[in-house]
Amino acid sequence: MKIDKLRPEFVEFIPLKLEEGVLYISMKYATTVHLCACGCKQKVVTPISPHTWSISYNGEGVTLSPSIGNYEQECMSHYFIRNNRIIWCPNCWNKVDIPKKRKKRKKYKWLRFLHK
């Protein structure tokens, strides 16, 4: 079942068993973890750094930037976390060609002649 709100919980270590609807935030390890908001129960890990996600906390609500895109999971959820609320993005993944699994490239016989 889709959820529309996450409760922030500041922790040093991320617990082994995650509770649905909770955004675990470890400032010491610059990481947030939560279960996917679509209800599929996949763990979503967002590392906090200037090159990945940023986090802001106003004393009540947490905002993560940029969006969470679970294109590697079956649910392919895409949403923002703004002031503890889940803001769902339109299903634009079907308009974009996202490979389900990357295949290993086959080595063609003619390529070995190029390396002689």
Side-chain angles (χ1 to χ4, degrees):
M1 181 170 83
K2 284 186 178 182
I3 60 172
D4 61 350
K5 193 173 183 180
L6 290 173
R7 176 177 51 87
E9 188 172 315
F10 289 88
V11 296
E12 183 176 358
F13 301 105
I14 304 301
L16 293 176
K17 185 172 180 174
L18 302 178
E19 188 179 323
E20 198 167 9
V22 178
L23 176 65
Y24 297 96
I25 305 161
S26 173
M27 296 305 288
K28 181 176 182 176
Y29 296 102
T31 303
T32 70
V33 178
H34 68 283
L35 293 178
C36 183
C38 80
C40 71
K41 300 197 189 291
Q42 291 292 322
K43 182 170 35 171
V44 179
V45 179
T46 51
I48 307 301
S49 81
H51 305 293
T52 55
W53 281 271
S54 65
I55 187 170
S56 64
Y57 178 63
N58 65 8
E60 293 179 12
V62 172
T63 296
L64 282 178
S65 293
S67 64
I68 308 294
N70 294 329
Y71 297 122
E72 301 269 331
Q73 306 297 334
E74 283 187 37
C75 67
M76 298 186 83
S77 296
H78 186 200
Y79 51 89
F80 288 90
I81 300 174
R82 298 282 184 259
N83 203 25
N84 296 346
R85 299 227 176 257
I86 304 294
I87 301 169
W88 290 94
C89 295
N91 286 337
C92 59
W93 56 265
N94 58 1
K95 298 175 187 169
V96 180
D97 184 25
I98 299 172
K100 295 280 185 188
K101 289 188 178 180
R102 301 187 192 276
K103 295 180 181 178
K104 289 184 179 178
R105 293 183 182 175
K106 293 181 181 178
K107 292 185 179 179
Y108 295 98
K109 291 180 182 179
W110 61 271
L111 283 177
R112 67 180 149 192
F113 296 111
L114 295 174
H115 296 289
K116 285 188 177 181

